[in-house]
């Protein structure tokens, strides 16, 4: 006799999307939901809303392409998670960010930068406020350094700048560049004051394509109040059929990333983002702890900050971080090596960004592979030997062909050949990184 078990009506698996409670409740329009909802429900809700949009192919007002061949659509999907800014070395994750320099150059603004110092790799609020004068547009604080993930002290900056504004009669505001940390701090450090809770913070920018969990191409800036965005920066156009205000440098933009961000917000809710960011932070700590146990590295990142691990060699007399980065490629890992910004550019480091898809097993494997690389490097000629060899080759170009070098000892000749072969890759990597602006994001 066959036995069966009745399924309870509370079992959501027997209900279709339109029979679930998620289509009976309105989603909040101006805030993130508190709880997560099933992915199929999130998809259906957004898909239903999009039915109210017009058909792009029937939009005869736009010059923008609205159809491509299905084969091209497939290629777009295959490349949607690749970052074009990494064109020099993709898929290496050393996207070089020069957004502030671009802003200053395009708009002819004098850019004052607070110099770093060894052991203190973020902006010093005291030094920043000292540099403020009557012509200062704003002070920009970074919530999540691109170098080591550390949060700059926006609260202290606000307090010091408030005091200076009172003494001088100025009204210098603060802009927070929360490109990375904007989706970290609210979920992991809710009591940290860095946002509009501070009266001088007038605007905040966030990158949805980082810890907003969307593919490259989505970000935004938020102002405290409408009056904080000058009307003269807003342009109005009507040639698409209705008045459309815009204040970005570009105009046409695909809707896919915006829809994807909307999906993540309602799908995950506050609960989902908090869980994901907590996992990222825990995996970053596990990776840092594993590197510490090797006894070979100093950790330069902070536990409170963006989930990443920045680390440097304790002993650089024999080998350096660039060699580790180069050798890790053989294991499939792409870990950037770079230098800090002035005046700490003598500090070299490696950085691992811990994203949602970097799990504990990968963290453990990476530590093992780094240990293998370090042990391999221990058996190779030191930097000193290679530098001497490079000097000899420079003075005797014909020695590039090692057979022409006056070496009789077989082991010495073998070491010479190894140095000649290995130093090319290391020099190429080091030259690429050092010739770039120190703005790693």
């Amino acid at each position: 006799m066959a036995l069966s078990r009745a399924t309870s009506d509370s079992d959501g698996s027997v209900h279709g999307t339109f029979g679930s409670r998620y289509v009976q409740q309105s989603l909040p329009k101006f805030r993130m939901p508190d709880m997560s909802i099933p992915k199929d429900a999130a998809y259906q809700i957004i898909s239903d809303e999009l039915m109210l949009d017009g058909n792009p192919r029937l939009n005869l007002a736009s010059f923008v392409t609205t159809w491509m061949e299905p084969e091209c659509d497939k290629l777009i999907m295959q490349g949607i998670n690749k970052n074009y800014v990494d064109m020099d070395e993709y898929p290496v994750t050393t996207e070089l960010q020069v957004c502030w320099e671009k802003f200053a150059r395009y708009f002819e603004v004098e850019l004052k930068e607070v110099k770093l110092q060894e052991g203190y790799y973020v902006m010093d609020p005291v030094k920043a406020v000292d540099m403020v004068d009557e012509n200062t547009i704003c002070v920009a604080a970074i919530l999540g350094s691109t170098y080591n993930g550390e949060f700059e002290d926006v609260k202290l900056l606000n307090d010091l700048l408030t005091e200076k504004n009172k003494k001088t009669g100025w009204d210098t505001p603060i802009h927070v560049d929360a490109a990375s940390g904007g989706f970290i701090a609210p979920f992991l450090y809710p009591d940290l004051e860095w946002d509009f809770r501070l009266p001088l913070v007038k605007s905040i920018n966030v990158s949805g394509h980082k810890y907003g969990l969307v593919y490259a191409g989505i970000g935004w800036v938020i102002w405290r109040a409408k009056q904080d965005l000058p009307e003269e920066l807003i342009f109005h156009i009507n040639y698409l059929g209705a008045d459309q205000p815009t204040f970005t440098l570009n105009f046409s933009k695909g809707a896919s990333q915006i829809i994807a961000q909307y999906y993540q917000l309602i799908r995950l809710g506050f609960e989902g983002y908090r869980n994901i960011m907590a996992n990222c932070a825990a995996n970053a700590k596990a990776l840092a702890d594993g590197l510490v146990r090797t006894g070979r590295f100093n950790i330069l990142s902070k536990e409170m900050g963006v989930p990443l691990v920045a680390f440097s060699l304790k002993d650089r007399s024999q080998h350096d971080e660039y060699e580790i980065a180069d050798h890790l490629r053989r294991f499939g890992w792409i870990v950037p090596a770079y230098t800090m910004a002035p005046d700490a550019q003598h500090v070299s480091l490696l950085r691992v960004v811990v994203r949602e898809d970097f799990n504990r097993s990968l963290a453990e494997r990476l530590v093992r592979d780094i240990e293998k690389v370090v042990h391999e490097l221990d058996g190779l000629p030191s930097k000193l030997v290679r530098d001497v060899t490079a000097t000899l080759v420079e003075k005797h170009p014909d020695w590039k062909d090692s057979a022409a070098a006056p070496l009789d000892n077989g082991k010495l000749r073998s070491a010479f050949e190894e140095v000649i072969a290995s130093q090319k890759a290391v020099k190429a990597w080091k030259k690429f990184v050092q010739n770039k602006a120190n703005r790693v994001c």
Side-chain angles (χ1 to χ4, degrees), residues 107 219-221 223 229 232-237 244-253 258:
F107 293 93
W220 57 86
V221 60
W223 279 266
L229 174 59
E232 57 266 28
L233 294 182
I234 303 175
F235 294 83
H236 295 265
I237 60 99
Q244 295 187 6
T246 177
F247 54 85
T248 59
L249 293 180
N250 62 337
F251 186 57
S252 296
K253 178 179 175 59
I258 299 172

Side-chain angles (χ1 to χ4, degrees), residues 91-318:
V92 178
T93 57
T94 55
E95 170 191 303
L96 301 175
Q97 182 187 52
V98 291
C99 59
W100 287 107
E101 285 83 355
K102 284 182 178 179
F103 161 73
R105 187 175 302 177
Y106 293 167
F107 293 93
E108 297 183 342
V109 173
E110 179 188 1
L111 187 66
K112 296 182 178 180
E113 297 179 279
V114 178
K115 303 300 182 183
L116 306 185
Q117 58 185 350
E118 186 167 358
Y120 195 88
Y121 301 119
V122 292
M123 176 185 67
D124 183 340
V126 176
K127 293 181 180 179
V129 173
D130 286 342
M131 298 170 71
V132 172
D133 59 29
E134 66 276 12
N135 296 316
T136 301
I137 298 174
C138 72
V139 180
I142 299 177
L143 195 75
S145 164
T146 55
Y147 299 102
N148 69 344
E150 186 175 353
F151 293 161
E152 293 182 342
D153 194 338
V154 188
K155 175 67 164 61
L156 178 58
L157 176 65
N158 178 87
D159 294 345
L160 294 174
L161 194 53
T162 297
E163 185 176 342
K164 185 163 188 173
N165 283 344
K166 288 181 179 178
K167 290 181 180 179
T168 61
W170 302 335
D171 189 24
T172 306
I174 295 172
H175 171 80
V176 178
D177 182 350
S180 296
F183 269 98
I184 304 295
F187 306 107
L188 296 186
Y189 316 109
D191 295 329
L192 180 68
E193 295 184 50
W194 61 275
D195 47 19
F196 293 132
R197 286 171 288 182
L198 302 176
L200 290 185
V201 174
K202 301 297 184 181
S203 55
I204 299 171
N205 71 278
V206 184
S207 293
H209 57 229
K210 292 181 180 177
Y211 286 94
L213 308 181
V214 177
Y215 291 136
I218 180 69
W220 57 86
V221 60
I222 304 172
W223 279 266
R224 171 186 288 272
K226 185 176 181 180
Q227 58 266 30
D228 292 319
L229 174 59
E231 183 64 31
E232 57 266 28
L233 294 182
I234 303 175
F235 294 83
H236 295 265
I237 60 99
N238 63 5
Y239 64 78
L240 292 181
D243 178 67
Q244 295 187 6
T246 177
F247 54 85
T248 59
L249 293 180
N250 62 337
F251 186 57
S252 296
K253 178 179 175 59
S256 58
Q257 277 86 358
I258 299 172
I259 295 170
Q261 185 69 84
Y262 182 39
Y263 171 88
Q264 292 287 51
L265 291 175
I266 70 168
R267 156 78 174 111
L268 297 173
F270 194 93
E271 172 194 42
Y273 271 99
R274 182 180 57 209
N275 292 339
I276 291 173
M277 300 312 154
N279 284 342
C280 289
N283 288 332
K285 186 177 187 309
L287 176 59
D289 291 344
L291 292 172
V292 169
R293 284 194 295 270
T294 67
R296 305 295 291 267
F297 300 100
N298 291 315
I299 304 299
L300 303 182
S301 48
K302 308 292 184 181
E303 284 195 23
M304 176 179 282
V306 176
L308 63 81
V309 181
F311 55 104
S312 62
L313 282 165
K314 289 184 176 180
D315 181 6
R316 303 181 74 251
S317 61
Q318 300 296 312

Side-chain angles (χ1 to χ4, degrees), residues 345-397:
Q345 62 266 46
H346 59 284
V347 178
S348 299
L349 64 158
L350 296 146
R351 187 197 64 190
V352 175
V353 177
V354 177
R355 300 187 299 271
E356 177 186 13
D357 54 352
F358 185 84
N359 56 45
R360 188 66 57 89
S361 296
L362 288 177
E364 294 170 353
R365 177 190 163 193
L366 177 57
V367 172
R368 291 195 300 269
D369 289 344
I370 289 176
E371 287 186 287
K372 292 177 184 177
V373 165
V374 171
H375 290 150
E376 289 177 1
L377 290 174
D378 286 342
L380 296 178
S382 68
K383 290 189 299 180
L384 176 61
V385 172
R386 291 202 310 278
D387 290 343
V388 170
T389 304
T391 302
L392 290 173
V393 169
E394 184 177 350
K395 291 183 178 180
H396 305 278

Side-chain angles (χ1 to χ4, degrees), residues 24 27 40 54 177 211:
Q24 300 176 10
L27 292 170
D40 56 341
D177 182 350
Y211 286 94

